[in-house]
Amino acid sequence: MNVRRLIPTAALSCAALLGLTALTACGSGSATERKDGKLDVVASFYPLQFLTEQIGGDHVAVTGLTKPGVEPHDLEISARQTAKLNDADAVVYLKGLQPAVDAAVQQADVKTKVDASTLTAMEKHGNEVGGHAAAHDDAAGSAGEDDHAGHGHTHSESGDDPHIWLDPVKYAEVAKGVGAALAKADPAHAADYAKNTDTLVGKLGGLDKEYAAALKNTKAKVFITTHAAFGYLAERYGLTEEAINGLDPDSEPSPARIKDLQKMAKADGVTTVFYETLVSDKTAKTLASDTSLRTDVLDPLEGITDRSKGTDYFSVMRSNLTALTTALGTK
């Protein structure tokens, strides 16, 4: 994975000029009307595509910019995708996750721009690479406490952790914002968008309860990953994520880091090193090879492929829960 930094721009978007956040009317032109009458929506990557499809139902046609199997952070926008974006009625994206998308959206002549990062409270999570990242028992009250800029990827100038979709509660907050944006863009179907949003939020509430119940009384509270993607999830459910090399899952950890994690694993009762579907398992196996640790998949859900342990957001999240409870054990 190539780590990219967002380049500041002197040009202010019309969103800034108008003082708007999630929903902005920036284009003077109108999108190409579809013959089927559906709202034409572009979503930047899988979690936002899934969410938009669930809320939009039969009233929207959703196109994803990130193809299955492509690491979202490394996406480059093609000329065809740029044209598609300019012809869309709406775009749903997560500012700070994909620099190429951020730049394309800023320049695009799209009437409705929905930035998921404005729809829930973004947080900075501790530098998992540098040491033990403390889990917060009170997820709701811990935002802003002992914040560090050293999250796994340099996603944005603010250093915010973008992986909000891995926390069902935050994902539900995003869903509400997207639902409201679609209703404003397509008032004729506002009632259906509201109904579908309520249904999705209800399912996410159920998933949150499943996670809370399953992870409440585990023997261990620490888990090791190659990719520092699970900070929100760990914070929500009183766990601690330790990333082998948060800046780049593809890089080789130093011998000192391996030794440190092996000691930590023994002290904290860690049994498993997790890797992800879109990145090689070599790093995880390097750590586990000289110990009794196992390896398993903990999917950051940045895309669905034939290697995914599930076919959609909910099934993969439940596979993740099974993997976590197996690794952490129960009292």
Side-chain angles (χ1 to χ4, degrees):
M1 180 187 300
N2 295 320
V3 180
R4 296 185 172 88
R5 294 182 180 273
L6 289 179
I7 302 174
T9 177
L12 292 175
S13 67
C14 67
L17 293 174
L18 293 176
L20 300 179
T21 54
L23 184 60
T24 60
C26 295
S28 57
S30 59
T32 302
E33 292 187 9
R34 294 176 58 90
K35 293 180 180 180
D36 57 13
K38 293 184 178 183
L39 194 71
D40 196 350
V41 184
V42 170
S44 58
F45 74 127
Y46 174 74
L48 298 182
Q49 180 178 347
F50 176 78
L51 182 150
T52 305
E53 289 171 344
Q54 293 293 303
I55 295 172
D58 294 335
H59 303 308
V60 301
V62 185
T63 302
L65 290 178
T66 308
K67 296 180 180 179
V70 173
E71 236 295 340
H73 310 89
D74 296 332
L75 178 69
E76 295 292 349
I77 303 295
S78 68
R80 179 176 294 181
Q81 288 175 316
T82 300
K84 175 66 178 175
L85 188 58
N86 278 294
D87 284 341
D89 297 307
V91 57
V92 183
Y93 72 113
L94 177 57
K95 187 176 181 180
L97 179 71
Q98 299 170 287
V101 173
D102 293 348
V105 170
Q106 183 178 4
Q107 298 298 322
D109 187 21
V110 182
K111 183 178 181 181
T112 299
K113 298 180 181 181
V114 187
D115 174 9
S117 73
T118 67
L119 302 177
T120 187
M122 302 294 290
E123 301 171 9
K124 297 176 178 64
H125 290 125
N127 188 348
E128 295 87 343
V129 177
H132 213 66
H136 303 286
D137 292 329
D138 184 1
S142 60
E145 296 177 4
D146 297 326
D147 282 347
H148 303 285
H151 179 66
H153 299 282
T154 306
H155 291 291
S156 65
E157 294 166 26
S158 67
D160 288 335
D161 179 354
H163 301 91
I164 49 179
W165 63 93
L166 292 168
D167 176 351
V169 176
K170 287 190 171 296
Y171 197 45
E173 291 172 351
V174 173
K176 292 177 182 178
V178 171
L182 293 180
K184 187 173 182 179
D186 181 20
H189 300 113
D192 287 342
Y193 295 139
K195 180 180 178 181
N196 293 343
T197 299
D198 289 344
T199 297
L200 179 58
V201 168
K203 290 180 178 179
L204 289 169
L207 182 65
D208 170 51
K209 290 179 180 178
E210 290 179 37
Y211 263 77
L215 298 173
K216 183 178 181 180
N217 295 310
T218 56
K219 290 181 180 179
K221 293 295 181 183
V222 180
F223 63 98
I224 298 176
T225 64
T226 53
H227 179 190
F230 299 90
Y232 288 107
L233 185 149
E235 183 177 297
R236 177 69 59 190
Y237 303 110
L239 305 177
T240 296
E241 174 192 58
E242 283 282 353
I244 297 174
N245 36 331
L247 284 175
D248 187 352
D250 290 321
S251 68
E252 291 291 335
S254 68
R257 179 60 177 160
I258 290 289
K259 186 175 181 180
D260 179 58
L261 284 170
Q262 287 173 340
K263 289 181 179 179
M264 180 275 297
K266 184 176 182 180
D268 291 330
V270 174
T271 63
T272 307
V273 181
F274 290 110
Y275 63 95
E276 61 187 79
T277 52
L278 297 183
V279 177
S280 169
D281 63 355
K282 182 180 179 181
T283 307
K285 289 183 176 179
T286 298
L287 173 59
S289 61
D290 295 330
T291 68
S292 59
L293 300 181
R294 301 188 300 267
T295 58
D296 199 0
V297 170
L298 197 62
D299 196 329
L301 258 165
E302 294 173 343
I304 298 289
T305 70
D306 55 5
R307 296 175 58 195
S308 300
K309 293 187 176 181
T311 58
D312 65 7
Y313 174 85
F314 286 102
S315 58
V316 174
M317 282 293 284
R318 290 191 169 97
S319 293
N320 281 346
L321 180 57
T322 298
L324 278 171
T325 54
T326 299
L328 297 173
T330 55
K331 292 181 180 179

